Amino acid sequence: MGEQLNDFVHGPLDMYRDKATFDWRKLKVYLEGEDILKYKQDIYSKLQNEDCFKPTCGPQTFEEIRYQTFLQAKAYKSFKSVTEHINESTKEELATTRILTQLAPSSIPKQSVIFLNHLKKLGTHRHRQFMEDVYKNKVTGCFCLTEIGHGSNLKGFGTRAVYSKEKKVFTINTPNFESAKCWAGCLGQTATHAVVFANLEIDDKQYGLQSFIVPIRDVNTLLPFAGIIVGDMGEKTGLNGVDNGFILFKNYEIPRENLLDKLCDVTEDGLFILKVKDLESHKEKSRIALSIARISTVARNECLGTKGLVVAVRYAAVRKQFGPGDGPEVCLLEYQTHQYRLFPYLAAAIVFKNTWMYLADVQDNLDFYSKNRICNVSLASELHAIACGAKAISGWTMRDVIQGCREACGGHGYLKVSGFDDTRSAQDAVLTYDGENYVLLQQTSNILIKLWPLIVRNQKISSPLESFDFLSNGDNLLREGRFTIKTVKELFNQTYILYIYDWLVVYLIKSSAEKLENQNKQSEFWVQSDNQIFYAKDLAVTYIERLFLLKMLNLINNAPDKKIQEALTDMFFLYALWNIRNHMPVLYQGGFASNRLISMLVKEGILKLLGRIKNNAIALVDAIAPPDFLLNSVLGYSDGQVYKHLESAFLRFPNGLSRPTWWKEVLDSEQIPSKL
Amino acid sequence: MGEQLNDFVHGPLDMYRDKATFDWRKLKVYLEGEDILKYKQDIYSKLQNEDCFKPTCGPQTFEEIRYQTFLQAKAYKSFKSVTEHINESTKEELATTRILTQLAPSSIPKQSVIFLNHLKKLGTHRHRQFMEDVYKNKVTGCFCLTEIGHGSNLKGFGTRAVYSKEKKVFTINTPNFESAKCWAGCLGQTATHAVVFANLEIDDKQYGLQSFIVPIRDVNTLLPFAGIIVGDMGEKTGLNGVDNGFILFKNYEIPRENLLDKLCDVTEDGLFILKVKDLESHKEKSRIALSIARISTVARNECLGTKGLVVAVRYAAVRKQFGPGDGPEVCLLEYQTHQYRLFPYLAAAIVFKNTWMYLADVQDNLDFYSKNRICNVSLASELHAIACGAKAISGWTMRDVIQGCREACGGHGYLKVSGFDDTRSAQDAVLTYDGENYVLLQQTSNILIKLWPLIVRNQKISSPLESFDFLSNGDNLLREGRFTIKTVKELFNQTYILYIYDWLVVYLIKSSAEKLENQNKQSEFWVQSDNQIFYAKDLAVTYIERLFLLKMLNLINNAPDKKIQEALTDMFFLYALWNIRNHMPVLYQGGFASNRLISMLVKEGILKLLGRIKNNAIALVDAIAPPDFLLNSVLGYSDGQVYKHLESAFLRFPNGLSRPTWWKEVLDSEQIPSKL
């Protein structure tokens, strides 16, 4: 059975399902789209036929996890050919990514995807054979960029590739352990080839970081070649199915043709040649490609957070605790504290889902967006600003969602069968891969701060996705921006919420830019670095939150009926007010707010929303929930039979009802010698 | 080697060690006390002689973890007899708890401690034999309170014990799976006896929740008795060495004498008798005992957070990334963002350490504190308010510390050998045991809100530990409390910081109390419940933070030299300002702040502190760091040789340099059938 669209089994969740003001099925179809639902259905039915995707019972050893992941990746490849993937839309691609992330996250890096993408991007006909061998499963490829002692800063890399005219080869060397390549998925035990980044050197002259295809293991024996030390990085917090590896090269020679030569090449006699004329345009394309990869992390964050959320909200509708007087106990969902713990997260999950779907749509229509208007900010820059910021914020928010939901399930959330441990472990990885979050936010704020001179001069600002356009009004906002509202009712106004955010972004651009100007005695590097906390970082955060909210308006306006529109509007306001609370010091500092009203109204607004969302929470969760076999949590299945599933999990646990094998030692009290 | 007091090995951390303004050794001795350092030294040397406490290499199976924990608990018992424990001071007891929590957290619940404590508290001579059998290791005892479907609310419990006059036995029954006892440590596989809470019933009349000693497994075979279904709860996020279990009783008979009868008894012919006259005084004692257990969780939270913190701060002093211009890369510790990520956590760790040590001191001098003054609030209530709140806040803060530190270590923080995964998993359990954090904070705020009528009437308020005394001035604070400061220099004033907190607490008492009064049309239960978010919860938080800061003043004032005093003062202010930022909306809403100054000064103050703390961070961390064998993290050892330890961890990883055993399947590309 796939994505639930039929009625749910009757049970403990009926009470809240009956209270919902809207049709969850209609919302689900609206959020996903008929075509994607059908597409997912097809994948589900295939996955369910494979034993390796069935949930295991009881603890697995490290070896078992590795082997199961290998089988999963293999099974997936068998029913989803690479050529098929190429013709997919971004939405379809991300639907696949979400499914695997929720079901078997380790299996994703096992599919040579980054290796292939990089070959497509920077390789030429010289490297076509490697790609074909990947399609034929003869070659497993991995991607070696990061070094042990060097992460985000590419300039610090130590790996070198020196060209020898005599031998017509590049000789790769790793000068020390800090320069060992690491973290590459599949490198640890299984990859036969790697794309390796190294500093190119010809005749003692440096030609920057270039990438090479490097054979690392014999395709017939899977044993590494001489001149290489390659191994596994060992156990991790999660994703242990992936054999992340490290590699050191010692005078390791590869043919000249293995340089990926779309942009540049080295001739037989050692001449370095640039092959691309319009390097800038190539860089733009690269940035767009990188942004798209980051958009995929937003979807990953969202789908893992959603998994935790579905479990916690359903559990809260079943679990009873305390109650007034001598009456019966009431559901956790009835308590204000519990609503506050869960509903802002629910809003965030829906807001993020809407955002990555919008960005996927942009990606599928790049030509349209890059040509339609004259802009101050290029599409590449705008996508970069959005993708960097959205990756960081979706990561941190969904980290808190998963942890908050785990705690909201009490002690039972600590059980492996609740699913939280695996979900958290998988999401934790996203927080530090694909760019360090603070560094990413700095990318976003840098793009924004550069617009300050235009704002000052009251110039029109526009960008292909229109996320910068409001800055045209920046000067006016700064002069006249004031919180003028007196009632909660007035606060529940979408335009006004965006107005608050408009002011926040412009004010933070102003204060960040001014801080930079005022400190220009120091070196620019340290001035920028000292401008992050409270200024540039907050700027990036407010810009992204504003974009999230802006895009929610489309979702709200096109809703299929009024009830769904109202439910989504509640999500909009809760996400907004919950975040505006964090920006309160800025609102006061900048003079936007000056009396106690905003503090009070935002609080009141949030409390009002919590009470309103209560009866819709289960229906909202039903609309975004994955099917039960992906959810895989005794506390969160769609039938709400928490205790039945818990009982059966306990009884199924291997040896759960037996003595330990070493039971005699427990009794052997005489064996305890006194060491005193 | 034990707690470091000698010089550290020279290496990458020298640079910052040399820059410190104070002597870390002197601070360490001051924080811990000579006697506790000696006491710990003694335990370290014993632990290091035991193989079972040595770090394992590579992944362990579930069975191996269980067995190792059993050996650890056994070894610990062998060199630390139970009688010895009885004579220990609370500080010594908590020193032990901290060491085991940092080194082998699963081994703590394996020592029948709660079972014994409960027997001491509610048992009589009738139960002495059970205690002696525990001392002799003939009996393993566990504690069964929580039920599967009922946590904090004891009223909801379903387990029943019915007395039969004919047979002179209690018959225990579990009506359904929701009423199965659960989570008891050792119950899963090893306990022979349990203290079980059940609703007592005689002749169809209810006599409330009572506790009984129940034999559950044969002490000769470790097999469960008939009439019992007992089993293991399976794999968990962490603490897998503990066999947490569940148990169901079916017409299970136990002798009349097994009722723990210090407070009440049932005569042979079924008469229920209360044995204690002063039940109130007994309840007071129980509350104090419960509070003391909660103080231990503060120490557990602190020591796990500290572990993560030591790793991240040392790593930040070694790890280099980016830098100005073409110069060399600089340490992460130099970056403002990184300082902001770590230093508030450093402050929190020291503040919490100071708090639990103060509370341990109170516990060791209960007689003094309970008799010394005439008070409006009893010692039991005050300790309850403090312990409940401190448990919740130390739990959440240290959760964020560990996660923040994990992220601050980048990708390498995801490696098991970094230690973060185990630390987080152990701390995660604390978040939901020993009381649900939101319920606990409600306990704290309830005690505070009750004082509102006294405040209104301008009455003197005093409490044994003096944490409520400032409320005597409450009315005045509310009338005159205003933020009047104009410079950061003025803000760096301990008295003024406490003044801000005084106002916050009183204002939140007022608004919470008024919210309750204004809503008294509804049932009291729901009014209270709807008063939590933004009101009662914030009240509890500010009261506890204020107490933390107040107790820091003692630590600062008695510091052995001026340099240490300054370093600790920085911790005081950073902890204060970092938290005051969160309370900004309340400060504005209540009219304490009315212009932009407070927002600006708090920000500026924090930034100033970050820069000042930078050169002391390593010395501060050295002063609170556990010895390397407890720290057990390749990224955080005291020699700072991050890359050397990483390299050796990779090379030692079992089979890390080999092919997988199933390598042939990787190559066997033909095996992939197309399912399309």
Side-chain angles (χ1 to χ4, degrees):
Chain A
M1 213 185 57
E3 201 99 356
Q4 181 93 30
L5 277 173
N6 304 326
D7 284 340
F8 289 102
V9 179
H10 283 293
L13 293 172
D14 286 0
M15 188 177 83
Y16 288 104
R17 284 190 175 130
D18 292 344
K19 283 182 181 170
T21 57
F22 66 91
D23 180 350
W24 67 271
R25 221 181 271 95
K26 220 168 173 184
L27 176 58
K28 186 176 199 89
V29 174
Y30 175 54
L31 285 175
E32 302 263 356
E34 301 261 11
D35 48 339
I36 291 290
L37 279 177
K38 210 182 145 295
Y39 172 91
K40 285 163 83 176
Q41 212 62 39
D42 182 49
I43 298 185
Y44 291 143
S45 59
K46 282 170 181 159
L47 288 172
Q48 281 189 301
N49 286 332
E50 300 286 343
D51 282 340
C52 59
F53 286 108
K54 300 217 161 98
T56 50
C57 182
Q60 284 184 294
T61 66
F62 186 77
E63 267 304 307
E64 284 164 358
I65 294 171
R66 278 283 162 91
Y67 184 60
Q68 191 191 6
T69 303
F70 162 71
L71 293 179
Q72 288 170 338
K74 192 164 155 177
Y76 191 78
K77 274 185 213 162
S78 76
F79 62 73
K80 200 86 203 157
S81 79
V82 178
T83 27
E84 258 189 301
H85 283 304
I86 290 170
N87 298 320
E88 280 186 338
S89 72
T90 308
K91 267 192 192 167
E92 286 167 333
E93 204 182 307
L94 292 182
T96 306
T97 302
R98 277 181 96 255
I99 291 173
L100 286 185
T101 301
Q102 290 185 329
L103 181 65
S106 281
S107 68
I108 300 176
K110 296 290 290 174
Q111 313 209 23
S112 308
V113 176
I114 316 183
F115 178 83
L116 276 176
N117 284 345
H118 197 76
L119 253 60
K120 272 184 238 163
K121 201 172 86 182
L122 288 184
T124 59
H125 65 281
R126 298 205 308 228
H127 315 103
R128 191 164 309 277
Q129 190 57 47
F130 295 107
M131 291 174 71
E132 276 166 25
D133 286 348
V134 170
Y135 298 149
K136 288 179 195 151
N137 287 302
K138 284 185 180 170
V139 150
T140 306
C142 67
F143 183 76
C144 296
L145 176 66
T146 305
E147 297 184 351
I148 292 278
H150 312 277
S152 304
N153 185 18
L154 307 186
K155 278 192 202 163
F157 284 176
T159 308
R160 286 164 61 209
V162 180
Y163 185 66
S164 150
K165 281 177 271 194
E166 293 69 38
K167 295 182 172 174
K168 322 277 183 224
V169 298
F170 296 103
T171 306
I172 309 185
N173 267 297
T174 308
N176 48 39
F177 182 70
E178 281 95 311
S179 302
K181 294 290 174 188
C182 64
W183 281 113
C186 294
L187 176 62
Q189 293 191 295
T190 46
T192 56
H193 291 70
V195 163
V196 174
F197 282 78
N199 289 305
L200 174 63
E201 193 179 309
I202 314 170
D203 294 332
D204 296 326
K205 238 187 112 186
Q206 309 299 321
Y207 293 89
L209 211 57
Q210 306 297 343
S211 53
F212 306 82
I213 283 209
V214 184
I216 52 175
R217 286 189 180 91
D218 187 319
V219 292
N220 296 310
T221 63
L222 222 56
L223 291 173
F225 295 116
I228 285 174
I229 297 172
V230 60
D232 201 279
M233 292 177 81
E235 209 180 355
K236 294 164 307 217
T237 296
L239 302 182
N240 277 306
V242 188
D243 50 325
N244 294 98
F246 67 97
I247 189 164
L248 293 100
F249 300 96
K250 184 154 191 200
N251 296 328
Y252 190 73
E253 296 179 351
I254 55 164
R256 188 187 63 90
E257 292 78 12
N258 285 22
L259 171 69
L260 295 178
D261 63 330
K262 190 176 264 172
L263 299 185
C264 63
D265 201 2
V266 175
T267 62
E268 287 204 4
D269 45 357
L271 210 66
F272 179 82
I273 41 171
L274 261 177
K275 291 168 73 175
V276 176
K277 278 173 208 145
D278 191 359
L279 205 63
E280 271 314 304
S281 138
H282 177 84
K283 273 189 191 162
E284 290 277 290
K285 275 186 202 153
S286 287
R287 275 173 97 195
I288 290 176
L290 200 64
S291 294
I292 286 154
R294 294 227 167 89
I295 291 164
S296 143
T297 64
V298 180
R300 287 180 205 207
N301 284 323
E302 172 270 315
C303 78
L304 290 167
T306 295
K307 219 177 145 178
L309 190 66
V310 171
V311 175
V313 174
R314 285 186 180 154
Y315 181 72
V318 174
R319 176 76 174 189
K320 293 183 169 66
Q321 190 121 296
F322 296 106
D326 291 328
E329 292 189 299
V330 296
C331 293
L332 296 182
L333 211 51
E334 296 295 319
Y335 292 98
Q336 192 189 67
T337 42
H338 218 79
Q339 294 160 8
Y340 190 67
R341 290 166 85 166
L342 297 180
F343 296 169
Y345 293 156
L346 183 54
I350 289 173
V351 166
F352 293 174
K353 188 184 179 75
N354 181 58
T355 306
W356 70 252
M357 290 187 79
Y358 160 73
L359 293 170
D361 185 66
V362 170
Q363 151 69 355
D364 287 335
N365 297 285
L366 275 183
D367 282 346
F368 168 79
Y369 285 107
S370 53
K371 285 172 193 160
N372 68 335
R373 317 166 59 210
I374 299 160
C375 297
N376 320 57
V377 183
S378 72
L379 181 63
S381 286
E382 187 171 27
L383 266 180
H384 188 61
I386 295 173
C388 286
K391 189 260 174 183
I393 290 170
S394 65
W396 284 329
T397 309
M398 289 299 143
R399 167 198 70 190
D400 294 345
V401 169
I402 296 166
Q403 180 64 26
C405 289
R406 131 80 186 105
E407 292 173 34
C409 290
H412 298 337
Y414 198 63
L415 293 171
K416 199 87 173 178
V417 288
S418 73
F420 285 109
D421 187 51
D422 288 335
T423 306
R424 173 170 52 195
S425 303
Q427 201 269 336
D428 192 36
V430 188
L431 293 168
T432 48
Y433 71 49
D434 260 3
E436 204 284 321
N437 285 346
Y438 282 89
V439 175
L440 291 179
L441 288 178
Q442 195 166 346
Q443 300 282 311
T444 304
S445 61
N446 284 348
I447 292 170
L448 285 154
I449 294 171
K450 279 199 194 113
L451 298 172
W452 179 235
L454 301 186
I455 296 172
V456 170
R457 276 181 267 128
N458 242 318
Q459 274 186 273
K460 193 168 158 55
I461 296 174
S462 61
S463 57
L465 306 178
E466 304 180 26
S467 76
F468 289 90
D469 292 23
F470 72 102
L471 293 174
S472 304
N473 190 34
D475 189 53
N476 189 36
L477 274 166
L478 284 174
R479 268 188 290 106
E480 298 182 5
R482 291 291 175 281
F483 188 78
T484 51
I485 268 177
K486 302 240 167 1
T487 63
V488 177
K489 207 179 152 195
E490 288 171 274
L491 188 62
F492 284 149
N493 175 324
Q494 296 163 357
T495 317
Y496 202 81
I497 294 289
L498 283 175
Y499 170 70
I500 297 176
Y501 265 100
D502 290 353
W503 182 89
L504 277 169
V505 176
V506 179
Y507 173 74
L508 285 166
I509 291 181
K510 175 178 180 276
S511 17
S512 303
E514 287 178 349
K515 250 201 131 202
L516 289 181
E517 284 163 16
N518 292 338
Q519 297 185 7
N520 52 17
K521 280 172 218 158
Q522 286 182 54
S523 91
E524 200 195 322
F525 180 82
W526 287 117
V527 173
Q528 253 198 26
S529 162
D530 288 348
N531 193 23
Q532 291 307 306
I533 295 302
F534 304 138
Y535 296 94
K537 180 184 160 261
D538 289 5
L539 166 59
V541 170
T542 48
Y543 163 74
I544 293 294
E545 286 171 2
R546 185 193 170 280
L547 176 88
F548 288 170
L549 289 166
L550 187 70
K551 292 304 150 193
M552 273 298 281
L553 294 187
N554 298 346
L555 191 73
I556 292 168
N557 293 337
N558 300 319
D561 67 41
K562 200 159 164 290
K563 290 296 171 189
I564 286 179
Q565 197 159 50
E566 284 168 2
L568 291 173
T569 305
D570 284 348
M571 297 290 103
F572 172 93
F573 284 119
L574 186 56
Y575 184 77
L577 297 183
W578 181 63
N579 282 298
I580 285 175
R581 257 185 77 73
N582 297 328
H583 305 307
M584 216 67 98
V586 181
L587 291 170
Y588 281 107
Q589 180 179 341
F592 184 84
S594 55
N595 61 27
R596 59 184 75 184
L597 261 173
I598 193 168
S599 281
M600 282 176 57
L601 296 181
V602 168
K603 278 183 188 181
E604 271 181 51
I606 291 176
L607 295 179
K608 207 161 230 156
L609 287 165
L610 295 181
R612 210 146 78 190
I613 294 166
K614 186 185 77 183
N615 289 338
N616 277 337
I618 288 294
L620 285 164
V621 147
D622 285 341
I624 57 173
D628 284 348
F629 88 99
L630 256 75
L631 194 67
N632 194 17
S633 163
V634 293
L635 306 183
Y637 288 128
S638 59
D639 63 5
Q641 298 290 357
V642 169
Y643 299 112
K644 229 176 67 184
H645 294 300
L646 260 175
E647 182 174 11
S648 106
F650 290 167
L651 298 178
R652 262 177 322 169
F653 189 71
N655 309 314
L657 302 181
S658 323
R659 298 177 290 191
T661 50
W662 32 271
W663 64 273
K664 279 188 184 161
E665 291 181 57
V666 179
L667 304 181
D668 202 353
S669 61
E670 303 312 307
Q671 271 195 359
I672 300 182
S674 177
K675 296 240 167 102
L676 292 167
Chain B
M1 211 186 56
E3 201 99 356
Q4 180 93 27
L5 276 174
N6 304 325
D7 284 340
F8 290 101
V9 179
H10 284 292
L13 293 173
D14 286 0
M15 187 177 84
Y16 288 104
R17 284 192 175 128
D18 293 344
K19 282 183 182 168
T21 58
F22 66 92
D23 180 350
W24 67 271
R25 223 181 269 97
K26 220 169 173 183
L27 176 58
K28 186 176 198 90
V29 174
Y30 175 54
L31 285 175
E32 302 264 358
E34 300 262 11
D35 48 337
I36 292 289
L37 279 177
K38 212 183 142 296
Y39 172 91
K40 284 163 82 175
Q41 212 60 40
D42 182 49
I43 298 184
Y44 292 144
S45 59
K46 282 171 180 157
L47 289 172
Q48 281 189 301
N49 285 331
E50 302 285 343
D51 282 342
C52 58
F53 286 108
K54 300 218 163 95
T56 49
C57 183
Q60 285 184 294
T61 65
F62 187 77
E63 268 304 308
E64 284 165 357
I65 294 171
R66 278 283 162 91
Y67 184 61
Q68 191 191 7
T69 303
F70 163 71
L71 293 179
Q72 288 170 337
K74 193 164 155 178
Y76 191 78
K77 274 185 213 162
S78 77
F79 63 73
K80 200 86 203 158
S81 78
V82 177
T83 26
E84 258 188 301
H85 282 304
I86 289 172
N87 298 319
E88 279 185 338
S89 71
T90 308
K91 267 191 191 167
E92 286 167 333
E93 203 182 308
L94 291 183
T96 307
T97 302
R98 276 181 96 254
I99 291 173
L100 286 185
T101 302
Q102 288 185 330
L103 182 64
S106 282
S107 67
I108 300 178
K110 295 290 291 175
Q111 314 210 25
S112 308
V113 177
I114 316 183
F115 177 83
L116 276 175
N117 284 345
H118 197 76
L119 253 60
K120 272 185 237 165
K121 201 172 86 182
L122 288 182
T124 59
H125 64 282
R126 298 205 308 227
H127 316 102
R128 190 164 308 276
Q129 190 57 45
F130 294 108
M131 291 174 71
E132 276 166 25
D133 285 350
V134 171
Y135 297 149
K136 289 180 195 151
N137 286 302
K138 286 184 180 169
V139 151
T140 306
C142 67
F143 183 77
C144 296
L145 177 66
T146 305
E147 297 183 351
I148 292 279
H150 313 277
S152 304
N153 183 18
L154 307 186
K155 278 193 202 163
F157 284 175
T159 308
R160 286 164 59 208
V162 180
Y163 184 67
S164 148
K165 280 178 270 192
E166 294 70 38
K167 294 182 173 177
K168 322 278 183 224
V169 298
F170 295 104
T171 306
I172 310 186
N173 267 298
T174 307
N176 47 40
F177 182 71
E178 280 97 310
S179 302
K181 294 292 174 188
C182 64
W183 280 114
C186 294
L187 176 62
Q189 292 190 297
T190 46
T192 57
H193 291 70
V195 163
V196 174
F197 282 78
N199 289 305
L200 174 63
E201 193 178 309
I202 315 171
D203 293 332
D204 295 326
K205 237 188 111 184
Q206 309 298 321
Y207 293 89
L209 211 57
Q210 307 297 344
S211 53
F212 306 82
I213 285 210
V214 183
I216 51 175
R217 285 189 180 90
D218 189 318
V219 291
N220 297 310
T221 64
L222 222 56
L223 291 173
F225 295 115
I228 284 173
I229 297 171
V230 60
D232 201 278
M233 293 177 81
E235 209 180 355
K236 296 165 308 230
T237 296
L239 301 183
N240 277 307
V242 188
D243 49 325
N244 294 97
F246 67 96
I247 189 165
L248 293 101
F249 300 96
K250 183 153 192 202
N251 297 328
Y252 190 72
E253 296 180 353
I254 56 165
R256 188 185 63 90
E257 291 78 12
N258 284 21
L259 171 69
L260 295 178
D261 63 330
K262 190 176 264 172
L263 300 184
C264 63
D265 201 1
V266 175
T267 63
E268 288 204 4
D269 45 356
L271 211 67
F272 179 82
I273 43 171
L274 261 178
K275 290 168 74 174
V276 176
K277 278 173 204 140
D278 191 0
L279 205 64
E280 271 315 302
S281 139
H282 177 83
K283 273 189 190 161
E284 289 278 290
K285 275 186 203 155
S286 288
R287 274 172 99 195
I288 291 177
L290 201 64
S291 294
I292 287 156
R294 294 225 168 91
I295 291 166
S296 144
T297 64
V298 180
R300 288 181 204 208
N301 283 323
E302 172 271 314
C303 79
L304 290 166
T306 294
K307 220 177 145 179
L309 189 66
V310 172
V311 175
V313 173
R314 286 186 179 153
Y315 182 73
V318 175
R319 177 75 174 190
K320 294 183 168 66
Q321 189 121 299
F322 297 105
D326 290 329
E329 293 189 297
V330 295
C331 294
L332 296 182
L333 212 51
E334 296 295 320
Y335 292 98
Q336 192 189 66
T337 42
H338 219 80
Q339 294 159 8
Y340 189 68
R341 289 165 86 164
L342 296 181
F343 296 169
Y345 293 156
L346 183 53
I350 289 174
V351 166
F352 293 174
K353 188 183 179 72
N354 180 58
T355 306
W356 70 251
M357 290 189 78
Y358 160 72
L359 292 170
D361 185 66
V362 170
Q363 150 69 354
D364 286 335
N365 298 284
L366 276 183
D367 283 345
F368 169 78
Y369 285 107
S370 54
K371 284 172 193 162
N372 69 334
R373 317 166 61 210
I374 299 160
C375 297
N376 319 58
V377 183
S378 72
L379 182 62
S381 286
E382 187 171 27
L383 267 180
H384 188 62
I386 295 173
C388 286
K391 189 261 174 182
I393 291 169
S394 65
W396 284 330
T397 309
M398 289 300 141
R399 168 200 68 191
D400 294 345
V401 169
I402 297 166
Q403 180 65 26
C405 289
R406 132 80 187 105
E407 292 173 35
C409 289
H412 297 338
Y414 199 63
L415 292 171
K416 198 88 174 178
V417 288
S418 72
F420 284 109
D421 187 51
D422 288 335
T423 306
R424 174 171 50 197
S425 302
Q427 201 269 335
D428 191 36
V430 188
L431 293 168
T432 48
Y433 71 49
D434 259 1
E436 205 284 321
N437 285 347
Y438 282 89
V439 175
L440 291 179
L441 288 177
Q442 196 167 345
Q443 299 281 312
T444 303
S445 60
N446 284 349
I447 292 170
L448 285 154
I449 294 172
K450 279 200 192 110
L451 297 172
W452 178 234
L454 301 185
I455 297 172
V456 171
R457 278 181 266 127
N458 241 318
Q459 275 184 276
K460 192 169 160 51
I461 296 173
S462 62
S463 57
L465 304 178
E466 304 179 25
S467 75
F468 288 90
D469 292 22
F470 73 101
L471 295 174
S472 305
N473 190 33
D475 189 53
N476 189 36
L477 275 166
L478 285 175
R479 266 187 292 107
E480 298 183 4
R482 290 291 175 283
F483 188 78
T484 51
I485 269 177
K486 303 241 165 5
T487 64
V488 176
K489 208 180 149 196
E490 289 171 272
L491 188 62
F492 285 149
N493 174 325
Q494 296 162 358
T495 317
Y496 201 82
I497 295 289
L498 283 174
Y499 169 71
I500 298 177
Y501 265 101
D502 290 353
W503 182 89
L504 277 169
V505 176
V506 179
Y507 174 74
L508 285 165
I509 291 182
K510 175 177 180 274
S511 17
S512 302
E514 285 177 350
K515 248 200 132 202
L516 289 181
E517 284 163 15
N518 292 340
Q519 296 185 8
N520 52 16
K521 279 173 217 153
Q522 284 183 53
S523 91
E524 200 194 322
F525 179 84
W526 287 116
V527 173
Q528 256 199 22
S529 161
D530 287 349
N531 193 24
Q532 291 306 306
I533 295 302
F534 303 138
Y535 296 94
K537 179 183 161 263
D538 288 4
L539 166 59
V541 170
T542 49
Y543 163 73
I544 292 295
E545 286 172 1
R546 185 192 171 280
L547 177 87
F548 289 169
L549 289 166
L550 186 70
K551 292 303 149 194
M552 274 298 280
L553 293 187
N554 297 346
L555 190 74
I556 292 169
N557 293 337
N558 300 318
D561 67 40
K562 200 160 166 287
K563 290 297 172 188
I564 286 179
Q565 197 158 51
E566 284 168 4
L568 291 173
T569 306
D570 284 348
M571 297 291 103
F572 172 93
F573 284 119
L574 186 56
Y575 184 76
L577 298 183
W578 181 63
N579 281 299
I580 285 174
R581 258 184 76 74
N582 298 330
H583 305 307
M584 217 68 99
V586 181
L587 291 170
Y588 282 107
Q589 180 179 341
F592 183 84
S594 54
N595 61 27
R596 59 184 75 184
L597 260 175
I598 193 167
S599 282
M600 282 176 57
L601 296 181
V602 168
K603 278 182 188 182
E604 272 181 50
I606 292 175
L607 295 179
K608 208 159 229 156
L609 287 164
L610 296 182
R612 211 146 78 191
I613 293 165
K614 185 185 76 181
N615 289 336
N616 278 336
I618 288 294
L620 285 164
V621 146
D622 284 342
I624 57 172
D628 283 349
F629 88 99
L630 256 75
L631 194 68
N632 194 17
S633 163
V634 293
L635 306 182
Y637 288 127
S638 59
D639 63 3
Q641 298 290 357
V642 168
Y643 300 112
K644 230 176 66 185
H645 294 299
L646 261 175
E647 181 173 11
S648 106
F650 290 167
L651 297 178
R652 262 176 322 168
F653 189 71
N655 309 314
L657 302 182
S658 323
R659 297 177 291 190
T661 49
W662 33 270
W663 65 273
K664 280 189 183 159
E665 291 181 56
V666 178
L667 304 180
D668 201 354
S669 61
E670 303 313 305
Q671 273 195 359
I672 300 182
S674 177
K675 297 240 168 101
L676 291 167

